[in-house]
Amino acid sequence: IACDHRLHTPMYFFLLNLSLLDLGCISISVPKAMANSLWDTRAISYQGCASQVFFFLFLMSAEFSLLTVMAYDRYVAICQPLHYGTLLGSRACVHMAAAAWGAGFLNSVLHTANTFSIPLCQGNVVDQFFCEVPQILKLSCSDSDHLREVALTVISLFVGFGCFVFIVVSYVQIFRAVLKIPSEQGRHKPFSTCLPHLAVVFLFVSTAMFAYLKPPSISSPSLDLVVAVLYSVVPPALNPLIYSMRNQELKDTALKLMTSSSE
């Protein structure tokens, strides 16, 4: 996207941001978990755990905010094409991307500062493949501090659910507009991109809400592991397949760059 001027459009600008966030999300948890598995250890320093929580929440929150922006981008492109250049100029795109990153940073600072200000007295074993806030809260001593973080988590999840509703409403409007296209081929392209996007967003929202709001009575190590993988690893891994590998313009550009570099 950065190397090809033909891809310097709002949609690909947001895709560039999304790819950076996906790369960061995967890099926060998976390499450390793989290294621990190879060395047969589960150790992580206190500072490392705090950093993992901060960057994971930062990147995942920013990614979901960006997915909301991308839904708006698709809505304007399909439902209000004559206003696309006005509503999504270069300055507006930069502001929306910056707002997504800023929202992720603010959410992460609040949760990390609050989580690691809670006194922990139930040992030092986090029963997960990365430092996850619900697992850290199980080690807390103070019920009042625990409830404060739970309340903050509920507020964040409801804001996230509001973004999800916005995404769904945007896609409903998109689908209504697409169904009016007489050509079957013209309908196929928007559906082939929008439906997988919506499915990944739903997977992320449902599993994240379950992980952070489920009662302790239904918690188990195997269930917690599966849910954590579904919301922390699967969406960032699927996004490149949905937005890049199935995008002919990106594939053509990548092939062109590889061909020119080999020459």
Side-chain angles (χ1 to χ4, degrees), residues 9-11 13-14 16-17 66 69 87-102:
T9 64
M11 182 182 75
F13 171 72
F14 294 135
L16 175 60
N17 282 267
L66 188 67
V69 172
L87 296 175
L88 286 154
S90 58
R91 180 172 295 183
C93 291
V94 170
H95 288 169
M96 286 189 284
W101 287 83

Side-chain angles (χ1 to χ4, degrees), residues 198-221:
L198 198 56
V200 172
V201 170
F202 176 77
L203 175 68
F204 172 75
V205 172
S206 59
T207 52
M209 292 188 71
F210 181 78
Y212 282 78
L213 296 179
K214 71 179 185 300
S217 58
I218 63 172
S219 180
S220 69

Side-chain angles (χ1 to χ4, degrees), residues 125-140:
V125 178
V126 178
D127 196 16
Q128 190 56 272
F129 71 96
F130 70 104
C131 285
E132 186 186 41
V133 171
Q135 299 297 330
I136 296 173
L137 293 180
K138 291 181 179 180
L139 309 178
S140 66

Side-chain angles (χ1 to χ4, degrees), residues 52 83 85 97 102 121 164 199 201 207 213 231 234 241 245 251-253 263:
Q52 200 174 60
H83 299 284
C121 62
F164 175 68
V201 170
T207 52
L213 296 179
Y231 83 84
V234 173
L241 298 176
M245 301 303 292
K251 288 192 291 186
D252 292 343
T253 300
E263 293 174 352

Side-chain angles (χ1 to χ4, degrees), residues 44-259:
I44 186 171
S45 66
Y46 183 84
Q47 293 79 8
C49 184
S51 299
Q52 200 174 60
V53 169
F54 172 79
F55 284 108
F56 179 77
L57 290 176
F58 169 37
L59 295 168
M60 292 302 286
S61 302
E63 176 165 333
F64 191 63
S65 300
L66 188 67
L67 289 172
T68 307
V69 172
M70 291 174 68
Y72 174 70
D73 168 66
R74 292 297 84 205
Y75 165 75
V76 176
I78 294 175
C79 299
Q80 300 184 28
L82 297 179
H83 299 284
Y84 189 75
T86 304
L87 296 175
L88 286 154
S90 58
R91 180 172 295 183
C93 291
V94 170
H95 288 169
M96 286 189 284
W101 287 83
F105 180 80
L106 177 61
N107 184 60
S108 179
V109 167
L110 291 174
H111 281 284
T112 305
N114 191 60
T115 298
F116 287 91
S117 66
I118 297 174
L120 307 177
C121 62
Q122 305 293 329
N124 61 352
V125 178
V126 178
D127 196 16
Q128 190 56 272
F129 71 96
F130 70 104
C131 285
E132 186 186 41
V133 171
Q135 299 297 330
I136 296 173
L137 293 180
K138 291 181 179 180
L139 309 178
S140 66
C141 309
S142 171
D143 289 339
S144 59
D145 290 334
H146 188 161
L147 290 175
R148 186 178 63 201
E149 173 59 25
V150 170
L152 186 59
T153 299
V154 170
I155 292 171
S156 297
L157 288 174
F158 270 107
V159 172
F161 185 73
C163 292
F164 175 68
V165 171
F166 178 85
I167 291 172
V168 171
V169 171
S170 298
Y171 277 114
V172 167
Q173 297 300 317
I174 289 171
F175 293 151
R176 289 177 62 185
V178 169
L179 288 173
K180 296 177 182 178
I181 299 175
S183 168
E184 183 177 348
Q185 186 176 2
R187 294 194 299 267
H188 174 73
K189 185 176 180 180
F191 276 124
S192 65
T193 301
C194 293
L195 287 176
H197 175 202
L198 198 56
V200 172
V201 170
F202 176 77
L203 175 68
F204 172 75
V205 172
S206 59
T207 52
M209 292 188 71
F210 181 78
Y212 282 78
L213 296 179
K214 71 179 185 300
S217 58
I218 63 172
S219 180
S220 69
S222 57
L223 177 63
D224 292 344
L225 176 63
V226 170
V227 172
V229 169
L230 286 176
Y231 83 84
S232 67
V233 177
V234 173
L238 287 181
N239 280 334
L241 298 176
I242 295 172
Y243 292 108
S244 301
M245 301 303 292
R246 302 172 76 243
N247 186 305
Q248 192 59 46
E249 290 180 310
L250 279 177
K251 288 192 291 186
D252 292 343
T253 300
L255 182 62
K256 179 182 175 182
L257 289 173
M258 288 188 291
T259 304

